[in-house]
Structure formats: C-alpha cells, structure tokens
C-alpha cells in the first residue's frame, strides 16, 4: 500500500498570500494535515468498499466520505485565527455553506491587488495598489491572462464564456463560466451587496479595475457533475484515466462556498 505523505499535497499558490518565506513555510505545513486526513479516509474506504461491488452502495460510501472530509476541513477552519493577506473578514462557516441557486460562487481572476503583500487601499479606483507580488498574486494574474486568451481563441464576442463538460456517458453539461466586462462589474456590485447583507464592511472590497470572474454552475448541473464523479470513483474497476476525469468533474462542481 502506498504511503500517503505531505509531499503529495503541494500547496496551492492561492494560499501563499505573503512574500515572507517563513510565513510561506508555515502555510505549507498544512500538507501534513491533509496527508493524515487522506490516509484515514483511504483506510476507511478500502475497508468499506471491499465489502461490496454494488455500485449504488459504493456511491453512497463515496458520498459519505466526501461529507466527512468537508466536515474535517470546516473543523480545522473553525480553529484557525484568520488568513494571510487582505480581504473581508474570515469566516470558517463558509467551508460548509452550500452553494445555492441564489448564491453562485464567484472568484476573481487577473491582477488582484489585495493579494500583494503590503498593498494599500486606493478609494477612488476601488483597488489595492503597491506592495510586493506573492505567489497568489502571480497565479491569479496568470489565470487572468489565460482566461483572456480563451475569449480571443474561441472568438467569444460577449462577456460570458461557458465551459461545457462531457460526461463519460456522452452527455454535455454546462460547467463553470468565465465572465468579463460589464457583466463582471455587475457581479462585483452583487458581491458587495451580499457581503454587506452579512453585516460585514465592504468599504475596502476590491471591485475596481478590469475584473474577470469565474462562476459556478447552477445547482442542478453541479449535482449532475458531482454524481458522475462519484459514479466513476465508486467503480470497482476504476482506472487512472477515470480518476483524472472524476477529479475534473469535482473541480467543476464545488459543493460549498
């Protein structure tokens, strides 16, 4: 049996919102927590799945395991004191808050000033200026360039690029979207309203510049993508290629905020 170690969980650059090497090293220690949790879930799955080849039962096992990992992540978040960088108030509850039809999840792409270490707020532009680039800032800037290149290469004239996902059974399902232009500015205003409704300060919420956002699928499509992923993972004859496909389907179908 392969030993699950921390080096199997490379730290996302989006978690590295500091230019300080010592602080970055502390963030990377989370990989050890992930490895421990993964080994625990792996052992449970091996024992439980060995008892049945019934696909429906195996899918139920996978669904339960996913929920247990979600709960584990929330529990760790609830113990944390905050996060690196500048942004709205930290909320552990977001790790278990479902995405619904009225709360589509949006993530900004491109140069995001608040991800720069030591950036300062510029009120007139509604952006953060200055500071030192961090891995998170560089990654988002790169993602923004790649998203803009897709709009160009796919000859998208409007503000919305729809990703279509082909399921193993041949069905095509609408996955996430990339949104730019005026539609993106509308999203920024919507996000401000949402955050204000949660009783949080939005006076320094970065909505200016030339924003671009990703948007999660509607819940029905997300459910379809998630179910297809679990069906693949539950298959007793799962192949490496199936695993890669399932991982992509899960990426397209986030369950919580």
């Amino acid at each position: 049996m392969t030993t699950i170690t921390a080096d199997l969980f490379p730290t996302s650059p989006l978690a590295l919102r500091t230019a300080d090497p010592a602080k970055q090293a502390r963030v990377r220690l989370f990989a050890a927590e992930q490895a421990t949790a993964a080994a625990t879930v792996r052992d449970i799955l091996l024992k439980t799945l060995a008892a049945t080849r019934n696909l429906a039962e195996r899918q139920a096992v996978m669904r339960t395991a996913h929920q247990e990992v979600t709960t584990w992540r929330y529990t760790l978040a609830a113990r944390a004191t905050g996060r690196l960088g500048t942004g709205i108030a930290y909320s552990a509850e977001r790790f278990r808050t479902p995405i619904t039809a009225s709360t589509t999840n949006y993530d900004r792409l491109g140069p995001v000033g608040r991800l720069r270490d030591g950036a300062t707020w510029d009120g007139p532009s509604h952006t953060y200026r200055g500071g030192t680039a961090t891995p998170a800032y560089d990654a988002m800037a790169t993602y923004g360039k790649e998203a803009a290149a897709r709009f160009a290469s796919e000859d998208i004239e409007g503000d919305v690029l729809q990703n279509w996902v082909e399921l193993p059974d041949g069905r095509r399902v609408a996955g996430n979207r990339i949104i730019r232009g005026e539609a993106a500015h509308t999203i920024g205003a919507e996000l401000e309203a949402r955050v204000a409704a949660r009783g949080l300060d939005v006076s320094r919420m970065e909505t200016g510049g030339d924003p671009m956002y990703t948007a999660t699928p509607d819940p029905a499509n997300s459910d379809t993508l998630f179910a297809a992923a679990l069906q693949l993972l539950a298959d007793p004859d799962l192949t490496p290629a199936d695993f890669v496909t399932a991982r992509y389907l899960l990426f397209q179908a986030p369950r919580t905020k």
Side-chain angles (χ1 to χ4, degrees):
M1 184 185 299
T2 301
T3 301
I4 298 178
T5 58
D7 61 352
L8 297 176
F9 294 89
T11 300
S12 166
L14 300 184
L16 299 173
R17 303 182 176 195
T18 173
D20 185 332
K23 291 181 180 179
Q24 290 184 8
R26 286 198 291 274
V27 173
R28 290 191 172 94
L29 291 177
F30 183 60
E33 297 269 12
Q34 291 174 287
T36 298
T40 299
V41 175
R42 186 269 312 274
D43 292 345
I44 293 172
L45 286 175
L46 284 175
K47 180 179 179 180
T48 308
L49 294 176
T52 180
R53 288 185 66 86
N54 179 280
L55 187 57
E57 293 177 1
R58 293 171 70 90
Q59 284 179 261
V61 169
M62 284 293 176
R63 192 175 291 272
T64 297
H66 184 276
Q67 184 56 53
E68 289 175 350
V69 171
T70 299
T71 301
W72 162 82
R73 188 65 187 88
Y74 162 74
T75 300
L76 286 187
R79 294 208 307 261
T81 57
R83 63 182 171 194
L84 292 172
T86 302
I88 62 175
Y90 176 78
S91 172
E93 194 63 32
R94 309 284 282 174
F95 284 91
R96 63 179 182 181
T97 301
I99 297 172
T100 67
S102 61
T103 59
T104 298
N105 203 69
Y106 300 111
D107 284 305
R108 183 164 173 168
L109 303 178
V112 182
R114 66 182 178 82
L115 297 178
R116 294 177 67 86
D117 204 346
T120 57
W121 176 248
D122 181 70
S125 67
H126 282 264
T127 61
Y128 283 86
R129 301 286 184 87
T132 303
T134 65
Y137 175 84
D138 289 339
M140 277 301 190
T142 297
Y143 300 158
K145 290 179 181 178
E146 292 178 352
R150 281 195 61 194
F151 271 94
S153 66
E154 298 179 28
D155 295 323
I156 305 295
E157 295 183 357
D159 288 339
V160 180
L161 190 160
Q162 174 68 64
N163 285 299
W164 290 92
V165 182
E166 184 169 334
L167 301 184
D169 63 10
R171 286 178 294 163
R172 292 179 77 240
V173 178
N176 63 29
R177 292 161 288 148
I178 305 174
I179 303 169
R180 66 180 179 183
E182 287 304 311
H185 284 290
T186 299
I187 287 172
E190 178 185 338
L191 289 174
E192 278 192 337
R194 284 192 198 175
V195 173
R198 290 163 54 196
L200 299 176
D201 180 14
V202 297
S203 63
R204 296 191 175 188
M205 190 168 171
E206 189 168 21
T207 57
D210 187 19
M212 185 179 295
Y213 292 92
T214 60
T216 50
D218 71 61
N221 287 335
S222 184
D223 289 347
T224 298
L225 294 163
F226 184 70
L230 293 191
Q231 184 172 353
L232 282 172
L233 293 172
D235 191 329
D237 301 315
L238 175 73
T239 67
D242 291 336
F243 179 82
V244 171
T245 298
R247 183 174 65 174
Y248 179 67
L249 293 174
L250 292 174
F251 169 77
Q252 287 282 344
R255 314 307 291 163
T256 66
K257 298 296 291 182

